[in-house]
Amino acid sequence: MTGPVQDRVDDAVVVGGGAAGLSLAHWLTRSGTGVTLVEAPDGPLRPAERTWCYWEAGTGEFEEAVVASWERLRVRGPDGCAVEADPSPLRYRMVRSALLERLVHSRLAAAPAARVVRATAHEVRDAPHGATVRCTTPGGQPLTLRGRVVFDSRPLSGTPPHRTLLLQHFRGWFVRTAAPRFDPGVADLMDFRVRQPRHGLAFGYVLPLARDRALVEYTEFSRAPLTTAAYEAALHRYTGDVLRLGRFAVESAEQGVIPMTDARFPRRTGRAVFRVGAAGGATRPATGYTFAAVQRQSRAIATAPHRGSRGVPPPHGRRALAMDAVLLRALDTGRVDGPRFFTDLFRRVPAERLLRFLDGGSTPWEEFGIGLGVPVGPMLRTAAELPFLTRRATGRSEGRPR
């Protein structure tokens, strides 16, 4: 494809306007870097509004985009017994993509060296000055952008070679009930009072927005997603038989698939081309959470001297990835009972320490203590077999980070 090449050479071009692209563009701009953010134009390539959740202490960088937060967390076992905890000073937060986009766009608009370009990116490759991004404008005209470095956050066309691949797939309803049914102070992270699949595990996920409004999701960790009709049936059972919401209206819905895998995601694909976000391995393999890791990675890129020369830092540490690989394999083989494992984990480990562990911020000693409470035999057996398993590749894998 040929077309006009813009004379401008940016310090950085960020491709993709999801959580990773928006966040990186923000942090780079904040550090004084000249940035062009390339977002898909309106149409089929532009994703629907999404929800991202994470935990954080204090007031965060994107507080204006937080639609709700919770100071208490709850997990319910299959028998209905609840484990409720206060992870203070951390709070669980929800960000909606439309609010985050507006917030970041307003900040970029106030920065002289930043801009947003609506175009479909087709090709990213190295060039003598750094790298180029070949695009098509909404009007159908070819456009080539140039940057000293390019950060690509677009979804991969397939999952890199891996030993284990589970999918976290879900459908959620934003509901409004006829009567108050929710406690706005408590988020239900995992409610195992749902039918468990033959393979993997399933749970409900409830984030109250008011006493009569909430996001209610049905989620599975398994090898293949369901049909929309199957998700709808599971949500009807959960809201009716388990939550007993009574009359309610579904105001909107969202659905997604997040790969949970021990694949190794290359973060550098050229001399001046890097992958970030889920495409660069930011999704935590054992939980599907991505937003917090994206912020760590983006801040590190933006504050590094000679940005890009030393590559994109890994979003997760080696210990965390090794432990996740063992847990994923144990869940996939059925050696570990998923509902019991996660319920016991929340019951035995203080919430603040557990969230730091899930975020990769725990110490080796804390991890040793947490490890004593898991099924040691099945986990050791799984850890022993992992080095002998062959990594294999699969086809297209698309997702939406939490």
Side-chain angles (χ1 to χ4, degrees), residues 30-56:
R30 194 167 184 249
S31 70
T33 304
V35 177
T36 289
L37 173 63
V38 184
E39 294 184 344
D42 293 335
L45 294 180
R46 194 162 181 80
E49 188 169 8
R50 292 146 290 165
T51 299
W52 298 305
C53 292
Y54 62 105
W55 41 86
E56 187 176 40

Side-chain angles (χ1 to χ4, degrees), residues 176-199:
R176 184 184 293 272
T177 56
R181 298 293 184 186
F182 305 107
D183 180 352
V186 184
D188 283 286
L189 295 187
M190 289 181 162
D191 184 347
F192 292 108
R193 296 176 297 170
V194 298
R195 295 180 186 175
Q196 295 300 311
R198 281 184 162 185
H199 182 272

Side-chain angles (χ1 to χ4, degrees), residues 18 38 92 99 105 107 138 145 218 242 278 302 304 335 349 369 378 383 402:
V38 184
Y92 195 63
L99 284 175
H105 281 192
R107 293 175 178 177
L145 302 171
Y218 172 81
V242 178
R335 292 177 188 144
V349 182
R402 280 202 186 278

Side-chain angles (χ1 to χ4, degrees), residues 53-56 282 289-299 315-316 359 402:
C53 292
Y54 62 105
W55 41 86
E56 187 176 40
Y289 284 100
T290 305
F291 194 83
V294 160
Q295 304 314 313
R296 288 196 303 271
Q297 189 180 59
S298 298
R299 285 194 300 266
H316 303 289
D359 214 21
R402 280 202 186 278

